[in-house]
Amino acid sequence: MVHRNVCLASVFVDKSGEWLLSGMELTESDRDAPGEGPPASLSPPRKYLPPEATKSTRSHAWSRDMWGLGCLMWEVYNGELPGPEKLKAIKSIPKTLVPHWASLVSAKPMSRPAPEKFIANARQQGNYLCNRFVDTNLFLEEITLKEKEDTINFFKALPEVCACRATLPNPGLQRRARSPNGLG
């Protein structure tokens, strides 16, 4: 599936702190979407438009979404993105995330990774998404599918997991992101 409009305005944070993606009415199968963006009336602000939006360039169906994710990540760590030319200023993006983030905002849309490839790369040993915080959340998402012994071991180790902190993005984003009822 492709979203076609990933940006800060498409994200809201609920009361429990979970990040949710809105605008699902624009999603399509990645086999049916040749990479073009949403209709002009629903298009993101110009600062989020990838380079290929203004010229006819071959791209994957997911290229626009991955560009949008890269812009969103930049904003999470650095504040509001003034324009795409500022993406070169890495600023506060964690060092272990920089190479993965840079692949998302590549000027060459065909070199942007597929979503599953981005996650797999960032989850490799020593990379940004390879940490106890992410592992714990992934386990919790699938807890109903786990064996009883795995669940017992998980809860035994949980106090140790909670004692450590992962590098988390700018907490100010929660205040800037929309709430589900639009009153955010």
Side-chain angles (χ1 to χ4, degrees):
M1 296 299 291
V2 292
H3 185 272
R4 301 189 330 160
N5 196 12
V6 176
C7 64
L8 185 60
S10 297
V11 174
F12 63 91
V13 181
D14 68 13
K15 288 182 180 184
S16 68
E18 188 167 347
W19 292 29
L20 304 166
L21 188 60
S22 65
M24 302 309 283
E25 65 277 2
L26 299 175
T27 59
E28 316 182 275
S29 165
D30 58 358
R31 289 183 292 275
D32 300 335
E36 70 264 356
S41 62
L42 299 172
S43 192
R46 186 169 177 77
K47 67 182 179 180
Y48 296 112
L49 292 178
E52 66 270 18
T54 58
K55 53 188 169 194
S56 181
T57 304
R58 197 166 151 246
S59 65
H60 297 292
W62 63 77
S63 294
R64 181 180 284 261
D65 282 352
M66 299 315 282
W67 174 272
L69 177 60
C71 292
L72 174 62
M73 290 168 66
W74 192 95
E75 288 189 311
V76 165
Y77 289 100
N78 299 306
E80 187 174 347
L81 178 65
E85 68 284 350
K86 297 295 183 186
L87 288 169
K88 294 176 183 172
I90 296 169
K91 294 185 179 182
S92 300
I93 297 173
K95 288 180 183 176
T96 57
L97 185 57
V98 168
H100 309 291
W101 165 80
S103 70
L104 299 177
V105 293
S106 169
K108 299 176 184 172
M110 293 299 288
S111 68
R112 292 184 206 133
E116 59 275 5
K117 178 101 171 137
F118 169 76
I119 292 169
N121 290 343
R123 292 263 311 133
Q124 289 177 358
Q125 187 66 36
N127 288 325
Y128 186 75
L129 294 179
C130 183
N131 62 62
R132 295 167 103 180
F133 180 77
V134 172
D135 294 344
T136 300
N137 282 291
L138 290 173
F139 188 94
L140 287 171
E141 274 189 23
E142 301 170 352
I143 198 162
T144 59
L145 306 174
K146 302 292 183 182
E147 297 293 327
K148 185 175 183 175
E149 186 175 325
D150 291 337
T151 303
I152 290 168
N153 290 336
F154 170 79
F155 282 111
K156 283 180 182 176
L158 194 58
E160 180 184 322
V161 170
C162 292
C164 71
R165 287 187 170 247
T167 304
L168 298 175
N170 180 350
L173 178 68
Q174 188 168 351
R175 288 187 296 276
R176 291 193 311 266
R178 295 181 291 125
S179 66
N181 62 11
L183 301 175

